[in-house]
Amino acid sequence: GRSTRSFMTEGLWKSITDELSEGDYVFIQFGHNDEVPTKKTATTPEEFKTNLIKYITETREKKAVPVLLTSVARRKFDSTGKLESTHEEYSNITRTVAKETNVLFIDMDRKSQALLQQMGVENSKFLFNHLKPGEHPNYPEGKEDNTHFSELGARLIAQLVLAEIKSLKIELAERIVKLPVKN
């Protein structure tokens, strides 16, 4: 539950920059907790943009490579089964910052929206923490969470990111290998 601001104020960003070396990749993805005005972690659109630029600038100062990503989509369908965008303002800010700073960019909002729309209203539930009562000890009453991914959802989102890394043809893509499955 971190925003661009709370990630800094809690010292998490400093712990990363302290360890950065030339050639490292830093994947920067925020927005979910920045955009919800009722959360104590919320940032204004202006603060969000300033913070993203700070992350990019400080990454580059260490001769590391920043990669900016939009937030992944939340599962929210309208009555006709069309997925509704829930991150448009903050995703647009991320897109703008990526263009203005000429940084590597992955539009996970649009990619994940396409995945959810393809899966549809019912099947997309499998990608999120939709748990029946008694199904998981942490949620004895069950849980219907349309923001946080199940293991399956996390794996599919990771595959989308991997595909985008490869399509960007960045050096990192050459170091990604598929490990054999151990029985």
Side-chain angles (χ1 to χ4, degrees), residues 131-170:
L131 304 166
K132 296 175 183 152
E135 188 175 345
H136 195 284
N138 291 350
Y139 303 99
E141 304 301 317
K143 181 92 172 154
E144 190 172 306
D145 179 346
N146 292 308
T147 298
H148 300 96
F149 294 107
S150 64
E151 182 178 346
L152 173 64
R155 287 179 183 276
L156 290 178
I157 293 299
Q159 287 176 2
L160 291 176
V161 173
L162 177 59
E164 287 302 299
I165 290 169
K166 289 178 179 178
S167 76
L168 288 171
K169 295 181 171 55
I170 57 179

Side-chain angles (χ1 to χ4, degrees), residues 30-129:
F30 289 96
H32 269 270
N33 295 305
D34 288 273
E35 71 184 356
V36 181
T38 56
K39 286 190 175 249
K40 64 181 179 178
T41 58
T43 63
T44 66
E46 295 78 18
E47 290 172 312
F48 181 68
K49 182 176 182 178
T50 297
N51 292 342
L52 289 178
I53 292 169
K54 176 182 172 64
Y55 288 136
I56 292 165
T57 302
E58 291 181 5
T59 298
R60 286 178 167 160
E61 286 172 355
K62 296 281 190 159
K63 297 188 179 359
V65 181
V67 181
L68 198 57
L69 298 86
T70 56
S71 294
V72 290
R74 286 188 174 95
R75 186 184 163 277
K76 184 178 180 191
F77 289 88
D78 67 17
S79 61
T80 67
K82 184 179 183 302
L83 190 74
E84 295 181 19
S85 176
T86 61
H87 300 304
E88 208 54 43
E89 182 177 18
Y90 283 71
S91 287
N92 282 338
I93 293 167
T94 304
R95 291 178 190 109
T96 299
V97 168
K99 284 180 189 164
E100 289 176 353
T101 61
N102 193 32
V103 71
L104 293 168
F105 174 67
I106 300 174
D107 197 334
M108 287 308 298
D109 190 15
R110 291 195 176 135
K111 294 285 180 190
S112 57
Q113 281 186 44
L115 173 64
L116 296 176
Q117 189 64 62
Q118 177 187 357
M119 292 194 74
V121 175
E122 288 306 312
N123 286 334
S124 63
K125 289 178 183 177
F126 293 111
L127 303 184
F128 292 85
N129 285 324

